Amino acid sequence: MKTLAYHRPKSLDEVFDLMASSEDAAYIAGGTDLLVSGGASPPTLISLRSVPELMGVDETRIGAATPVADVARHPGLAASHPVLVAAARRLGSEQIRNVATVGGNLCRAAPCADLAPPLLVLEARAEIVGRGGTREVPIDEFFAGPGETVLAPGEVLAAVRLDPPRTGAQGRFLKKGRVRMDLAIASVALLVEAEGGRCRRIRIAAGSVAPTPLRLQPVEALLEGAELTDEILEEAAALAAATVRPITDVRSTESYRRRIVGVYVKRGVAQALAGGEA
Amino acid sequence: MTLDISFSLNGAEVVVGVRPHQRLLDVLRRTLGMTGTKEGCGEGECGACTVLVDGRVVNACLYPALEIEGRSVTTIEGLLGADHQLSPLQESLVARGAIQCGFCSPGVILSAHALLDRNPNPSDAEIRDALVGNLCRCTGYVQIVEAVQEAADRLGSESDV
């Protein structure tokens, strides 16, 4: 099926009018996923590239239409939320990052979405708009399954909202791909606050190891308040491996994914404690 | 349904009729006959179709043609000087043996060109990172990275003069 109509609305009102008047329409943003699916493109596409309400990026709000490259190269975000910038830099190639959008990465709801684990550990919120107005949903509740989100038909992800950075929090993003631009075999983001080797607060999330990007709360509970010794990190790695629910597919196997998530939790905490770049 | 759109192609304004399902790559190669831009995988992996849109590299195979309206596109043809002179970057690639079969070269050159525009003095790691989206099955990349480094050095010393 070929696309028969391609609309480029210039406002959210126009977006909703077009969606309401079409039975077979789908939204398109950067299109770097949608256009790969070959012959099966929807007959009507509504482009979200030229909608001002979805644009703009700063340290508190990232418009959904923001290209991933604009996050990867944002000096303010690099200072405030380096774990997100680190993940943006590892998404695809420069060609993909220049076009793929933050909103598209989340709304496709792939388990491997590179921006999801860092946004989960930052406890970001999804700003969702529809005809009826705006609502906010914690990113943790945004993903409903592989390719599924909590967006109601016609609703649009307008932006991702970020809290101010927490003092002393050290973030890390680790990603395993066959080659550098691949989709993740597994990925881990974490945000650690530690004092004198003791973990005060930690947030951990993993990608490509469950039907949705996943917060690893049992591992967080194990580590919070604990002395971050080699022994407890071994225990955390084993618990992370047991907590995730990966599958075997063309990219990797269930057992390898469990193992790499454990290794990345351990390695990520150690790197975060050592300081330096996310 | 065909829509007329206008955009800047290698510095010249063009108007073309575009159908909703067409990609920028189709418009460049088929409608406009600009065959310097290659089609490899058609799904954003290989980078053979790399072009610049408003100075940024994109895969023309994943770019809806209608989105190009009002924008500025540079293809490999656009880098050729007035007297068919190669750019310093292209000369370095030739001199270093970084071009073999040549199919990936237009994309590689545009990726490296965009890199040097935003970062005139890149490290080896930055060069490799900028070329992650350009597959080359001949050279093994070493010559390409060396050639880009050499071009950066040459361009840097020229601008110092």
PDB file of all heavy atoms in Angstrom, chain A residues 2-4 6 8 35 47 49 70 73 93-96 98-99 180-181, chain B residues 20-21 43 50 56-59 62 64 66-67 69 111 118 129 132-134:
ATOM      1  N   LYS A   2       0.619   2.128  -0.929  1.00  0.00           N
ATOM      2  CA  LYS A   2       1.385   3.370  -0.970  1.00  0.00           C
ATOM      3  C   LYS A   2       0.631   4.487  -0.242  1.00  0.00           C
ATOM      4  O   LYS A   2      -0.603   4.484  -0.208  1.00  0.00           O
ATOM      5  CB  LYS A   2       1.586   3.804  -2.427  1.00  0.00           C
ATOM      6  CG  LYS A   2       2.753   3.107  -3.087  1.00  0.00           C
ATOM      7  CD  LYS A   2       2.937   3.637  -4.487  1.00  0.00           C
ATOM      8  CE  LYS A   2       4.138   2.990  -5.148  1.00  0.00           C
ATOM      9  NZ  LYS A   2       4.261   3.399  -6.552  1.00  0.00           N
ATOM     10  N   THR A   3       1.404   5.409   0.286  1.00  0.00           N
ATOM     11  CA  THR A   3       0.777   6.561   0.909  1.00  0.00           C
ATOM     12  C   THR A   3       0.127   7.435  -0.162  1.00  0.00           C
ATOM     13  O   THR A   3       0.756   7.802  -1.152  1.00  0.00           O
ATOM     14  CB  THR A   3       1.848   7.365   1.681  1.00  0.00           C
ATOM     15  OG1 THR A   3       2.358   6.525   2.706  1.00  0.00           O
ATOM     16  CG2 THR A   3       1.253   8.611   2.295  1.00  0.00           C
ATOM     17  N   LEU A   4      -1.152   7.743   0.041  1.00  0.00           N
ATOM     18  CA  LEU A   4      -1.899   8.516  -0.955  1.00  0.00           C
ATOM     19  C   LEU A   4      -2.019   9.980  -0.571  1.00  0.00           C
ATOM     20  O   LEU A   4      -2.280  10.827  -1.415  1.00  0.00           O
ATOM     21  CB  LEU A   4      -3.294   7.908  -1.135  1.00  0.00           C
ATOM     22  CG  LEU A   4      -3.291   6.433  -1.550  1.00  0.00           C
ATOM     23  CD1 LEU A   4      -4.702   5.863  -1.538  1.00  0.00           C
ATOM     24  CD2 LEU A   4      -2.676   6.273  -2.930  1.00  0.00           C
ATOM     25  N   TYR A   6      -0.280  13.020   2.206  1.00  0.00           N
ATOM     26  CA  TYR A   6       0.743  13.371   3.199  1.00  0.00           C
ATOM     27  C   TYR A   6       0.472  14.812   3.619  1.00  0.00           C
ATOM     28  O   TYR A   6       0.638  15.731   2.825  1.00  0.00           O
ATOM     29  CB  TYR A   6       2.132  13.232   2.577  1.00  0.00           C
ATOM     30  CG  TYR A   6       3.273  13.325   3.562  1.00  0.00           C
ATOM     31  CD1 TYR A   6       3.947  12.189   3.981  1.00  0.00           C
ATOM     32  CD2 TYR A   6       3.688  14.554   4.072  1.00  0.00           C
ATOM     33  CE1 TYR A   6       5.004  12.265   4.878  1.00  0.00           C
ATOM     34  CE2 TYR A   6       4.739  14.645   4.975  1.00  0.00           C
ATOM     35  CZ  TYR A   6       5.400  13.498   5.370  1.00  0.00           C
ATOM     36  OH  TYR A   6       6.449  13.575   6.252  1.00  0.00           O
ATOM     37  N   ARG A   8       0.901  18.191   6.108  1.00  0.00           N
ATOM     38  CA  ARG A   8       1.889  18.858   6.961  1.00  0.00           C
ATOM     39  C   ARG A   8       1.241  19.989   7.761  1.00  0.00           C
ATOM     40  O   ARG A   8       1.416  21.172   7.440  1.00  0.00           O
ATOM     41  CB  ARG A   8       3.039  19.391   6.111  1.00  0.00           C
ATOM     42  CG  ARG A   8       4.018  18.290   5.686  1.00  0.00           C
ATOM     43  CD  ARG A   8       5.068  18.813   4.745  1.00  0.00           C
ATOM     44  NE  ARG A   8       4.463  19.285   3.515  1.00  0.00           N
ATOM     45  CZ  ARG A   8       5.013  20.197   2.728  1.00  0.00           C
ATOM     46  NH1 ARG A   8       6.150  20.738   3.050  1.00  0.00           N
ATOM     47  NH2 ARG A   8       4.395  20.573   1.622  1.00  0.00           N
ATOM     48  N   LEU A  35       9.310   4.568   7.699  1.00  0.00           N
ATOM     49  CA  LEU A  35       9.602   4.421   6.274  1.00  0.00           C
ATOM     50  C   LEU A  35      10.455   3.193   5.984  1.00  0.00           C
ATOM     51  O   LEU A  35      10.631   2.815   4.825  1.00  0.00           O
ATOM     52  CB  LEU A  35      10.279   5.687   5.726  1.00  0.00           C
ATOM     53  CG  LEU A  35       9.424   6.944   5.817  1.00  0.00           C
ATOM     54  CD1 LEU A  35      10.142   8.123   5.191  1.00  0.00           C
ATOM     55  CD2 LEU A  35       8.072   6.761   5.142  1.00  0.00           C
ATOM     56  N   SER A  47       2.028  14.567   9.208  1.00  0.00           N
ATOM     57  CA  SER A  47       3.380  14.855   9.676  1.00  0.00           C
ATOM     58  C   SER A  47       3.356  15.780  10.883  1.00  0.00           C
ATOM     59  O   SER A  47       2.662  16.802  10.901  1.00  0.00           O
ATOM     60  CB  SER A  47       4.185  15.495   8.548  1.00  0.00           C
ATOM     61  OG  SER A  47       5.362  16.064   9.073  1.00  0.00           O
ATOM     62  N   ARG A  49       6.120  17.267  11.916  1.00  0.00           N
ATOM     63  CA  ARG A  49       7.408  17.961  11.863  1.00  0.00           C
ATOM     64  C   ARG A  49       7.302  19.475  11.931  1.00  0.00           C
ATOM     65  O   ARG A  49       8.282  20.145  12.227  1.00  0.00           O
ATOM     66  CB  ARG A  49       8.121  17.616  10.555  1.00  0.00           C
ATOM     67  CG  ARG A  49       8.891  16.346  10.641  1.00  0.00           C
ATOM     68  CD  ARG A  49       9.574  16.113   9.321  1.00  0.00           C
ATOM     69  NE  ARG A  49      10.355  14.894   9.410  1.00  0.00           N
ATOM     70  CZ  ARG A  49      11.051  14.386   8.420  1.00  0.00           C
ATOM     71  NH1 ARG A  49      11.098  14.978   7.259  1.00  0.00           N
ATOM     72  NH2 ARG A  49      11.715  13.282   8.573  1.00  0.00           N
ATOM     73  N   ASP A  70      19.658  17.159  18.315  1.00  0.00           N
ATOM     74  CA  ASP A  70      19.585  18.414  19.076  1.00  0.00           C
ATOM     75  C   ASP A  70      19.693  18.160  20.575  1.00  0.00           C
ATOM     76  O   ASP A  70      20.096  19.055  21.318  1.00  0.00           O
ATOM     77  CB  ASP A  70      18.280  19.149  18.763  1.00  0.00           C
ATOM     78  CG  ASP A  70      18.284  19.745  17.360  1.00  0.00           C
ATOM     79  OD1 ASP A  70      19.240  19.482  16.604  1.00  0.00           O
ATOM     80  OD2 ASP A  70      17.330  20.466  17.019  1.00  0.00           O
ATOM     81  N   ARG A  73      23.565  17.222  21.132  1.00  0.00           N
ATOM     82  CA  ARG A  73      24.489  18.357  21.050  1.00  0.00           C
ATOM     83  C   ARG A  73      24.047  19.543  21.905  1.00  0.00           C
ATOM     84  O   ARG A  73      24.504  20.666  21.671  1.00  0.00           O
ATOM     85  CB  ARG A  73      24.603  18.812  19.589  1.00  0.00           C
ATOM     86  CG  ARG A  73      25.482  17.913  18.740  1.00  0.00           C
ATOM     87  CD  ARG A  73      26.043  18.657  17.548  1.00  0.00           C
ATOM     88  NE  ARG A  73      25.151  18.623  16.418  1.00  0.00           N
ATOM     89  CZ  ARG A  73      25.126  17.641  15.513  1.00  0.00           C
ATOM     90  NH1 ARG A  73      25.920  16.609  15.655  1.00  0.00           N
ATOM     91  NH2 ARG A  73      24.300  17.696  14.498  1.00  0.00           N
ATOM     92  N   SER A  93      22.839   6.482  13.749  1.00  0.00           N
ATOM     93  CA  SER A  93      23.964   7.193  13.144  1.00  0.00           C
ATOM     94  C   SER A  93      23.645   8.686  13.138  1.00  0.00           C
ATOM     95  O   SER A  93      22.540   9.098  13.468  1.00  0.00           O
ATOM     96  CB  SER A  93      24.116   6.725  11.698  1.00  0.00           C
ATOM     97  OG  SER A  93      22.925   7.044  10.981  1.00  0.00           O
ATOM     98  N   GLU A  94      24.634   9.490  12.760  1.00  0.00           N
ATOM     99  CA  GLU A  94      24.404  10.933  12.637  1.00  0.00           C
ATOM    100  C   GLU A  94      23.219  11.210  11.705  1.00  0.00           C
ATOM    101  O   GLU A  94      22.375  12.069  11.977  1.00  0.00           O
ATOM    102  CB  GLU A  94      25.686  11.597  12.108  1.00  0.00           C
ATOM    103  CG  GLU A  94      25.622  13.103  11.963  1.00  0.00           C
ATOM    104  CD  GLU A  94      25.586  13.853  13.296  1.00  0.00           C
ATOM    105  OE1 GLU A  94      25.962  13.286  14.329  1.00  0.00           O
ATOM    106  OE2 GLU A  94      25.136  15.008  13.285  1.00  0.00           O
ATOM    107  N   GLN A  95      23.135  10.455  10.592  1.00  0.00           N
ATOM    108  CA  GLN A  95      22.032  10.655   9.643  1.00  0.00           C
ATOM    109  C   GLN A  95      20.682  10.406  10.315  1.00  0.00           C
ATOM    110  O   GLN A  95      19.711  11.120  10.053  1.00  0.00           O
ATOM    111  CB  GLN A  95      22.171   9.688   8.453  1.00  0.00           C
ATOM    112  CG  GLN A  95      23.304  10.015   7.493  1.00  0.00           C
ATOM    113  CD  GLN A  95      24.588   9.272   7.822  1.00  0.00           C
ATOM    114  OE1 GLN A  95      24.929   9.077   8.982  1.00  0.00           O
ATOM    115  NE2 GLN A  95      25.326   8.866   6.794  1.00  0.00           N
ATOM    116  N   ILE A  96      20.612   9.367  11.129  1.00  0.00           N
ATOM    117  CA  ILE A  96      19.354   9.040  11.818  1.00  0.00           C
ATOM    118  C   ILE A  96      19.062  10.084  12.901  1.00  0.00           C
ATOM    119  O   ILE A  96      17.937  10.584  13.016  1.00  0.00           O
ATOM    120  CB  ILE A  96      19.435   7.624  12.452  1.00  0.00           C
ATOM    121  CG1 ILE A  96      19.633   6.553  11.369  1.00  0.00           C
ATOM    122  CG2 ILE A  96      18.199   7.327  13.299  1.00  0.00           C
ATOM    123  CD1 ILE A  96      18.474   6.367  10.425  1.00  0.00           C
ATOM    124  N   ASN A  98      19.806  13.130  13.100  1.00  0.00           N
ATOM    125  CA  ASN A  98      19.395  14.431  12.561  1.00  0.00           C
ATOM    126  C   ASN A  98      17.917  14.464  12.205  1.00  0.00           C
ATOM    127  O   ASN A  98      17.355  15.537  11.999  1.00  0.00           O
ATOM    128  CB  ASN A  98      20.225  14.778  11.321  1.00  0.00           C
ATOM    129  CG  ASN A  98      21.594  15.330  11.689  1.00  0.00           C
ATOM    130  OD1 ASN A  98      21.759  15.915  12.754  1.00  0.00           O
ATOM    131  ND2 ASN A  98      22.567  15.149  10.806  1.00  0.00           N
ATOM    132  N   VAL A  99      17.294  13.324  12.072  1.00  0.00           N
ATOM    133  CA  VAL A  99      15.913  13.265  11.594  1.00  0.00           C
ATOM    134  C   VAL A  99      14.983  12.626  12.639  1.00  0.00           C
ATOM    135  O   VAL A  99      13.882  13.121  12.886  1.00  0.00           O
ATOM    136  CB  VAL A  99      15.848  12.474  10.257  1.00  0.00           C
ATOM    137  CG1 VAL A  99      14.407  12.364   9.781  1.00  0.00           C
ATOM    138  CG2 VAL A  99      16.703  13.162   9.200  1.00  0.00           C
ATOM    139  N   ARG A 180      28.291  -0.269  16.241  1.00  0.00           N
ATOM    140  CA  ARG A 180      27.965   0.919  17.019  1.00  0.00           C
ATOM    141  C   ARG A 180      26.566   1.485  16.735  1.00  0.00           C
ATOM    142  O   ARG A 180      25.896   1.968  17.619  1.00  0.00           O
ATOM    143  CB  ARG A 180      29.020   2.003  16.788  1.00  0.00           C
ATOM    144  CG  ARG A 180      28.842   3.145  17.781  1.00  0.00           C
ATOM    145  CD  ARG A 180      30.052   4.054  17.848  1.00  0.00           C
ATOM    146  NE  ARG A 180      29.708   5.258  18.566  1.00  0.00           N
ATOM    147  CZ  ARG A 180      29.826   5.399  19.883  1.00  0.00           C
ATOM    148  NH1 ARG A 180      30.283   4.427  20.606  1.00  0.00           N
ATOM    149  NH2 ARG A 180      29.482   6.522  20.474  1.00  0.00           N
ATOM    150  N   MET A 181      26.115   1.442  15.484  1.00  0.00           N
ATOM    151  CA  MET A 181      24.827   2.083  15.205  1.00  0.00           C
ATOM    152  C   MET A 181      23.635   1.149  15.364  1.00  0.00           C
ATOM    153  O   MET A 181      22.510   1.544  15.138  1.00  0.00           O
ATOM    154  CB  MET A 181      24.826   2.713  13.809  1.00  0.00           C
ATOM    155  CG  MET A 181      24.638   1.750  12.651  1.00  0.00           C
ATOM    156  SD  MET A 181      24.444   2.626  11.072  1.00  0.00           S
ATOM    157  CE  MET A 181      22.743   3.164  11.149  1.00  0.00           C
TER     158      MET A 181
ATOM    159  N   PRO B  20       2.864  11.832  -2.795  1.00  0.00           N
ATOM    160  CA  PRO B  20       2.952  11.697  -1.327  1.00  0.00           C
ATOM    161  C   PRO B  20       3.853  10.565  -0.847  1.00  0.00           C
ATOM    162  O   PRO B  20       4.433  10.672   0.227  1.00  0.00           O
ATOM    163  CB  PRO B  20       1.502  11.424  -0.910  1.00  0.00           C
ATOM    164  CG  PRO B  20       0.674  11.979  -2.002  1.00  0.00           C
ATOM    165  CD  PRO B  20       1.470  11.829  -3.263  1.00  0.00           C
ATOM    166  N   HIS B  21       3.997   9.501  -1.619  1.00  0.00           N
ATOM    167  CA  HIS B  21       4.784   8.366  -1.127  1.00  0.00           C
ATOM    168  C   HIS B  21       6.253   8.486  -1.508  1.00  0.00           C
ATOM    169  O   HIS B  21       7.062   7.651  -1.105  1.00  0.00           O
ATOM    170  CB  HIS B  21       4.244   7.058  -1.698  1.00  0.00           C
ATOM    171  CG  HIS B  21       4.449   6.929  -3.172  1.00  0.00           C
ATOM    172  ND1 HIS B  21       3.560   7.458  -4.070  1.00  0.00           N
ATOM    173  CD2 HIS B  21       5.449   6.393  -3.892  1.00  0.00           C
ATOM    174  CE1 HIS B  21       4.019   7.209  -5.292  1.00  0.00           C
ATOM    175  NE2 HIS B  21       5.159   6.579  -5.218  1.00  0.00           N
ATOM    176  N   GLU B  43      17.034   1.487   3.708  1.00  0.00           N
ATOM    177  CA  GLU B  43      16.440   1.531   5.041  1.00  0.00           C
ATOM    178  C   GLU B  43      17.334   2.191   6.092  1.00  0.00           C
ATOM    179  O   GLU B  43      17.251   1.880   7.279  1.00  0.00           O
ATOM    180  CB  GLU B  43      15.991   0.146   5.509  1.00  0.00           C
ATOM    181  CG  GLU B  43      16.986  -0.972   5.311  1.00  0.00           C
ATOM    182  CD  GLU B  43      16.369  -2.344   5.635  1.00  0.00           C
ATOM    183  OE1 GLU B  43      15.258  -2.634   5.130  1.00  0.00           O
ATOM    184  OE2 GLU B  43      16.998  -3.090   6.382  1.00  0.00           O
ATOM    185  N   THR B  50      23.292   9.340   1.526  1.00  0.00           N
ATOM    186  CA  THR B  50      23.475  10.514   2.387  1.00  0.00           C
ATOM    187  C   THR B  50      23.510  11.812   1.580  1.00  0.00           C
ATOM    188  O   THR B  50      24.237  11.920   0.591  1.00  0.00           O
ATOM    189  CB  THR B  50      24.809  10.373   3.165  1.00  0.00           C
ATOM    190  OG1 THR B  50      24.747   9.198   3.971  1.00  0.00           O
ATOM    191  CG2 THR B  50      25.053  11.591   4.056  1.00  0.00           C
ATOM    192  N   ARG B  56      22.800  19.454   7.392  1.00  0.00           N
ATOM    193  CA  ARG B  56      22.909  18.254   8.226  1.00  0.00           C
ATOM    194  C   ARG B  56      22.762  17.006   7.375  1.00  0.00           C
ATOM    195  O   ARG B  56      21.927  16.971   6.459  1.00  0.00           O
ATOM    196  CB  ARG B  56      21.786  18.240   9.260  1.00  0.00           C
ATOM    197  CG  ARG B  56      21.904  19.297  10.334  1.00  0.00           C
ATOM    198  CD  ARG B  56      20.638  19.249  11.165  1.00  0.00           C
ATOM    199  NE  ARG B  56      20.861  19.806  12.482  1.00  0.00           N
ATOM    200  CZ  ARG B  56      20.245  19.393  13.583  1.00  0.00           C
ATOM    201  NH1 ARG B  56      19.365  18.406  13.532  1.00  0.00           N
ATOM    202  NH2 ARG B  56      20.470  19.957  14.739  1.00  0.00           N
ATOM    203  N   VAL B  57      23.543  15.970   7.705  1.00  0.00           N
ATOM    204  CA  VAL B  57      23.432  14.725   6.937  1.00  0.00           C
ATOM    205  C   VAL B  57      22.121  14.008   7.257  1.00  0.00           C
ATOM    206  O   VAL B  57      21.703  13.938   8.411  1.00  0.00           O
ATOM    207  CB  VAL B  57      24.609  13.759   7.206  1.00  0.00           C
ATOM    208  CG1 VAL B  57      25.888  14.281   6.591  1.00  0.00           C
ATOM    209  CG2 VAL B  57      24.786  13.508   8.699  1.00  0.00           C
ATOM    210  N   VAL B  58      21.493  13.509   6.209  1.00  0.00           N
ATOM    211  CA  VAL B  58      20.292  12.674   6.378  1.00  0.00           C
ATOM    212  C   VAL B  58      20.369  11.544   5.357  1.00  0.00           C
ATOM    213  O   VAL B  58      21.117  11.615   4.382  1.00  0.00           O
ATOM    214  CB  VAL B  58      18.973  13.463   6.165  1.00  0.00           C
ATOM    215  CG1 VAL B  58      18.943  14.731   7.013  1.00  0.00           C
ATOM    216  CG2 VAL B  58      18.760  13.809   4.697  1.00  0.00           C
ATOM    217  N   ASN B  59      19.594  10.480   5.613  1.00  0.00           N
ATOM    218  CA  ASN B  59      19.437   9.415   4.623  1.00  0.00           C
ATOM    219  C   ASN B  59      18.296   9.816   3.691  1.00  0.00           C
ATOM    220  O   ASN B  59      17.142   9.887   4.119  1.00  0.00           O
ATOM    221  CB  ASN B  59      19.089   8.086   5.312  1.00  0.00           C
ATOM    222  CG  ASN B  59      20.200   7.592   6.228  1.00  0.00           C
ATOM    223  OD1 ASN B  59      19.998   7.429   7.426  1.00  0.00           O
ATOM    224  ND2 ASN B  59      21.369   7.376   5.667  1.00  0.00           N
ATOM    225  N   LEU B  62      15.064   7.797   3.593  1.00  0.00           N
ATOM    226  CA  LEU B  62      14.087   7.836   4.691  1.00  0.00           C
ATOM    227  C   LEU B  62      13.479   9.223   4.832  1.00  0.00           C
ATOM    228  O   LEU B  62      12.867   9.531   5.852  1.00  0.00           O
ATOM    229  CB  LEU B  62      14.758   7.445   6.019  1.00  0.00           C
ATOM    230  CG  LEU B  62      15.298   6.029   6.154  1.00  0.00           C
ATOM    231  CD1 LEU B  62      15.892   5.816   7.549  1.00  0.00           C
ATOM    232  CD2 LEU B  62      14.214   4.998   5.895  1.00  0.00           C
ATOM    233  N   PRO B  64      10.826  11.861   3.564  1.00  0.00           N
ATOM    234  CA  PRO B  64       9.670  12.094   2.684  1.00  0.00           C
ATOM    235  C   PRO B  64       9.920  13.332   1.817  1.00  0.00           C
ATOM    236  O   PRO B  64      10.275  14.386   2.325  1.00  0.00           O
ATOM    237  CB  PRO B  64       8.519  12.335   3.663  1.00  0.00           C
ATOM    238  CG  PRO B  64       8.969  11.741   4.960  1.00  0.00           C
ATOM    239  CD  PRO B  64      10.468  11.903   4.982  1.00  0.00           C
ATOM    240  N   LEU B  66       8.087  15.399   0.337  1.00  0.00           N
ATOM    241  CA  LEU B  66       7.283  16.602   0.591  1.00  0.00           C
ATOM    242  C   LEU B  66       7.850  17.450   1.723  1.00  0.00           C
ATOM    243  O   LEU B  66       7.587  18.645   1.804  1.00  0.00           O
ATOM    244  CB  LEU B  66       5.830  16.205   0.911  1.00  0.00           C
ATOM    245  CG  LEU B  66       5.008  15.786  -0.317  1.00  0.00           C
ATOM    246  CD1 LEU B  66       3.695  15.150   0.105  1.00  0.00           C
ATOM    247  CD2 LEU B  66       4.740  16.995  -1.215  1.00  0.00           C
ATOM    248  N   GLU B  67       8.650  16.812   2.606  1.00  0.00           N
ATOM    249  CA  GLU B  67       9.217  17.565   3.730  1.00  0.00           C
ATOM    250  C   GLU B  67      10.380  18.468   3.304  1.00  0.00           C
ATOM    251  O   GLU B  67      10.907  19.221   4.105  1.00  0.00           O
ATOM    252  CB  GLU B  67       9.713  16.602   4.823  1.00  0.00           C
ATOM    253  CG  GLU B  67       8.631  15.772   5.471  1.00  0.00           C
ATOM    254  CD  GLU B  67       7.787  16.558   6.483  1.00  0.00           C
ATOM    255  OE1 GLU B  67       8.044  17.759   6.700  1.00  0.00           O
ATOM    256  OE2 GLU B  67       6.862  15.931   7.037  1.00  0.00           O
ATOM    257  N   GLU B  69      10.289  20.808   1.095  1.00  0.00           N
ATOM    258  CA  GLU B  69       9.846  22.141   0.649  1.00  0.00           C
ATOM    259  C   GLU B  69      10.483  23.251   1.494  1.00  0.00           C
ATOM    260  O   GLU B  69      10.459  23.204   2.720  1.00  0.00           O
ATOM    261  CB  GLU B  69       8.324  22.254   0.745  1.00  0.00           C
ATOM    262  CG  GLU B  69       7.836  23.631   0.317  1.00  0.00           C
ATOM    263  CD  GLU B  69       6.380  23.651  -0.094  1.00  0.00           C
ATOM    264  OE1 GLU B  69       5.574  23.001   0.594  1.00  0.00           O
ATOM    265  OE2 GLU B  69       6.066  24.304  -1.108  1.00  0.00           O
ATOM    266  N   SER B 111      29.206  13.062   4.669  1.00  0.00           N
ATOM    267  CA  SER B 111      29.265  12.922   6.135  1.00  0.00           C
ATOM    268  C   SER B 111      30.516  13.602   6.691  1.00  0.00           C
ATOM    269  O   SER B 111      30.458  14.313   7.695  1.00  0.00           O
ATOM    270  CB  SER B 111      29.259  11.442   6.546  1.00  0.00           C
ATOM    271  OG  SER B 111      27.972  10.900   6.426  1.00  0.00           O
ATOM    272  N   ARG B 118      31.259  21.415  11.223  1.00  0.00           N
ATOM    273  CA  ARG B 118      30.895  21.741  12.605  1.00  0.00           C
ATOM    274  C   ARG B 118      32.059  21.498  13.565  1.00  0.00           C
ATOM    275  O   ARG B 118      32.031  21.967  14.699  1.00  0.00           O
ATOM    276  CB  ARG B 118      29.648  20.964  13.055  1.00  0.00           C
ATOM    277  CG  ARG B 118      29.785  19.470  13.112  1.00  0.00           C
ATOM    278  CD  ARG B 118      28.575  18.799  13.758  1.00  0.00           C
ATOM    279  NE  ARG B 118      28.847  17.403  14.022  1.00  0.00           N
ATOM    280  CZ  ARG B 118      28.660  16.410  13.140  1.00  0.00           C
ATOM    281  NH1 ARG B 118      28.162  16.683  11.943  1.00  0.00           N
ATOM    282  NH2 ARG B 118      28.961  15.177  13.443  1.00  0.00           N
ATOM    283  N   ASP B 129      32.975   8.238  14.583  1.00  0.00           N
ATOM    284  CA  ASP B 129      31.595   8.395  15.024  1.00  0.00           C
ATOM    285  C   ASP B 129      30.742   9.059  13.934  1.00  0.00           C
ATOM    286  O   ASP B 129      29.602   8.675  13.705  1.00  0.00           O
ATOM    287  CB  ASP B 129      31.567   9.225  16.307  1.00  0.00           C
ATOM    288  CG  ASP B 129      30.297   8.986  17.092  1.00  0.00           C
ATOM    289  OD1 ASP B 129      29.964   7.806  17.312  1.00  0.00           O
ATOM    290  OD2 ASP B 129      29.608   9.959  17.444  1.00  0.00           O
ATOM    291  N   VAL B 132      29.785   6.470  11.251  1.00  0.00           N
ATOM    292  CA  VAL B 132      29.114   5.240  11.683  1.00  0.00           C
ATOM    293  C   VAL B 132      27.992   4.849  10.718  1.00  0.00           C
ATOM    294  O   VAL B 132      27.741   3.669  10.476  1.00  0.00           O
ATOM    295  CB  VAL B 132      28.567   5.430  13.127  1.00  0.00           C
ATOM    296  CG1 VAL B 132      27.371   4.542  13.388  1.00  0.00           C
ATOM    297  CG2 VAL B 132      29.660   5.131  14.140  1.00  0.00           C
ATOM    298  N   GLY B 133      27.328   5.856  10.152  1.00  0.00           N
ATOM    299  CA  GLY B 133      26.197   5.581   9.267  1.00  0.00           C
ATOM    300  C   GLY B 133      26.573   5.440   7.806  1.00  0.00           C
ATOM    301  O   GLY B 133      25.706   5.529   6.936  1.00  0.00           O
ATOM    302  N   ASN B 134      27.850   5.236   7.503  1.00  0.00           N
ATOM    303  CA  ASN B 134      28.296   5.045   6.123  1.00  0.00           C
ATOM    304  C   ASN B 134      29.088   3.747   6.017  1.00  0.00           C
ATOM    305  O   ASN B 134      30.234   3.677   6.453  1.00  0.00           O
ATOM    306  CB  ASN B 134      29.172   6.223   5.672  1.00  0.00           C
ATOM    307  CG  ASN B 134      28.380   7.508   5.601  1.00  0.00           C
ATOM    308  OD1 ASN B 134      28.292   8.246   6.573  1.00  0.00           O
ATOM    309  ND2 ASN B 134      27.774   7.759   4.463  1.00  0.00           N
TER     310      ASN B 134
END
